[in-house]
Amino acid sequence: MEEKKLAVIALGGNAILRGNQKGTVEEQNQNIRETLENLIYLVREGYNLIITHGNGPQVGNILMSDDAGVKMYGLPPMTLDMCVAYSQGEIGYMIERNLRNILREHGLTRHVVSMISQVVVDEHDPALQNPTKRVGRIYTREEADKLAAEHGWIFKEEIKVEGGWRRVVPSPAPIDFKNAALVERMARSGSIVITGGGGGIPVYVDGEGMLQPLEGVIDKDLASAMIGARVKADELYILTDVPYIYKDFRKPTQEVLEFLDYADAMKYLEAGTFGEGSMAPKIRACLSFVEKGGQKAVITEATKLEDRRYGSKITMHYD
């Protein structure tokens, strides 16, 4: 009997919290339901699935709530790795519960499990000295300056919102993740596994072989590609807010790039064709995945997933 394909599905931030929303529990659950509905066709086609997700808005909000608790009630502050773990738990719970309900509504039976995941990074990664990962809500320049002065936080201008600023934190590269063999075994047995949330909790291995926490937020797409490679997944799907990869995005010369091999994608990447704060990290993740043995990486919008006419496909070589 032919072995079922294993796919890693990376849910973008838009799948959980939209830019114009407050982030209520009701809003997040509705967004998650709408996104997960688009995965049902993969279940019907017999795919085994691993689901990863972002946490940028959520972990930023947790940090703000934590700061308020410190100021108002004298509570001990939470470290960034604890905030990432916190966000993994709450988002994993929302995805698992909604997915269980959706599967039941469609008459499908699959086990669904959420796993708090620790992702190993290099404690000497240069990225730790150059914060780039955007977290939390968007502020005005005045609000950002005030928070920077109060907390020593670092802000950078937001790409998608003119005049907006967001906090940035270190984003080390993922090397490995714990429980890889267990995750692969569960996924290949038919369980849908939710793991690598928010890129995973960053940890490093000290000189005595012990795991130690590290302050940072790992890029979700790079972590998803690493997870896919470690479990020998066949396909990687990065769900975002556009149906394709575009050359010269939002310019008069805009062009859809539907099929790319490794060499062409790398050529465009090195030429600066893709935005560093948006599409470029996703392209790097896809290239990493196919370079390490993945058959295909796809970047598309969640609502277009079932329609094969949409989505940009990256493979090592053209068929």
Side-chain angles (χ1 to χ4, degrees):
M1 187 174 67
E2 184 179 357
E3 187 175 348
K4 293 180 180 180
K5 286 190 173 182
L6 175 58
V8 174
I9 313 293
L11 306 184
N14 196 54
I16 305 167
L17 181 59
R18 312 278 160 79
N20 60 346
Q21 295 179 329
K22 293 181 177 179
T24 65
V25 172
E26 292 76 16
E27 287 173 338
Q28 293 185 74
N29 275 299
Q30 182 61 34
N31 296 337
I32 287 170
R33 275 194 63 88
E34 291 174 359
T35 299
L36 294 177
E37 279 284 355
N38 295 286
L39 305 187
I40 291 300
Y41 100 94
L42 289 173
V43 179
R44 290 194 185 282
E45 289 197 356
Y47 274 75
N48 289 323
L49 300 179
I50 294 172
I51 297 175
T52 64
H53 60 81
N55 71 343
Q58 291 81 7
V59 78
N61 291 342
I62 291 167
L63 286 164
M64 290 296 293
S65 297
D66 179 60
D67 180 63
V70 172
K71 282 184 175 179
M72 295 177 64
Y73 304 110
L75 299 177
M78 293 173 63
T79 55
L80 187 50
D81 62 297
M82 291 293 289
C83 293
V84 174
Y86 189 133
S87 70
Q88 275 193 0
E90 67 172 355
I91 298 172
Y93 156 67
M94 287 191 289
I95 293 174
E96 180 178 338
R97 185 177 61 80
N98 281 289
L99 183 54
R100 286 180 181 275
N101 289 341
I102 290 169
L103 289 168
R104 181 179 178 84
E105 290 165 4
H106 285 272
L108 297 168
T109 303
R110 289 282 190 102
H111 293 296
V112 185
V113 60
S114 304
M115 293 187 67
I116 301 299
S117 53
Q118 299 173 64
V119 171
V120 180
V121 301
D122 181 355
E123 64 175 311
H124 302 298
D125 190 321
L128 295 172
Q129 308 305 319
N130 180 32
T132 58
K133 183 67 175 176
R134 288 168 168 81
V135 298
R137 56 170 288 228
I138 298 172
Y139 298 93
T140 65
R141 178 61 184 267
E142 292 73 20
E143 290 172 327
D145 287 345
K146 184 173 184 292
L147 289 167
E150 289 178 354
H151 305 291
W153 293 349
I154 300 172
F155 287 84
K156 288 190 177 180
E157 195 166 6
E158 177 63 17
I159 297 167
K160 296 182 180 180
V161 178
E162 187 175 352
W165 292 75
R166 289 181 76 187
R167 184 185 175 188
V168 291
V169 298
S171 184
I175 299 172
D176 197 1
F177 79 112
K178 295 302 173 183
N179 295 322
L182 177 59
V183 168
E184 180 180 1
R185 188 161 64 247
M186 288 193 299
R188 291 194 184 280
S189 73
S191 297
I192 299 176
V193 183
I194 304 159
T195 193
I201 305 163
V203 297
Y204 69 92
V205 181
D206 67 17
E208 297 180 354
M210 300 295 184
L211 291 175
Q212 302 296 344
L214 188 142
E215 292 277 306
V217 174
I218 300 168
D219 181 84
K220 171 264 303 176
D221 296 317
L222 289 176
S224 300
M226 179 273 296
I227 289 169
R230 284 285 284 112
V231 303
K232 299 178 287 294
D234 301 286
E235 298 172 3
L236 169 67
Y237 291 82
I238 296 179
L239 305 187
T240 184
D241 55 359
V242 292
Y244 295 104
I245 301 167
Y246 296 92
K247 178 184 177 183
D248 300 333
F249 186 53
R250 290 179 177 170
K251 296 179 180 178
T253 54
Q254 177 175 295
E255 176 187 347
V256 170
L257 300 175
E258 186 175 357
F259 299 99
L260 290 168
D261 69 1
Y262 184 94
D264 284 343
M266 182 62 75
K267 179 183 68 177
Y268 284 124
L269 185 64
E270 291 175 344
T273 303
F274 311 117
E276 277 302 329
S278 53
M279 188 56 70
K282 293 175 172 52
I283 301 294
R284 289 193 185 94
C286 291
L287 291 175
S288 174
F289 177 70
V290 299
E291 182 181 31
K292 294 174 182 174
Q295 295 177 9
K296 178 176 67 175
V298 179
I299 296 177
T300 192
E301 184 183 344
T303 60
K304 309 295 186 186
L305 188 58
E306 188 171 357
D307 192 334
R308 301 289 185 171
R309 295 174 299 173
Y310 292 93
S312 292
K313 298 87 177 173
I314 298 177
T315 54
M316 196 65 191
H317 306 285
Y318 287 123
D319 293 334

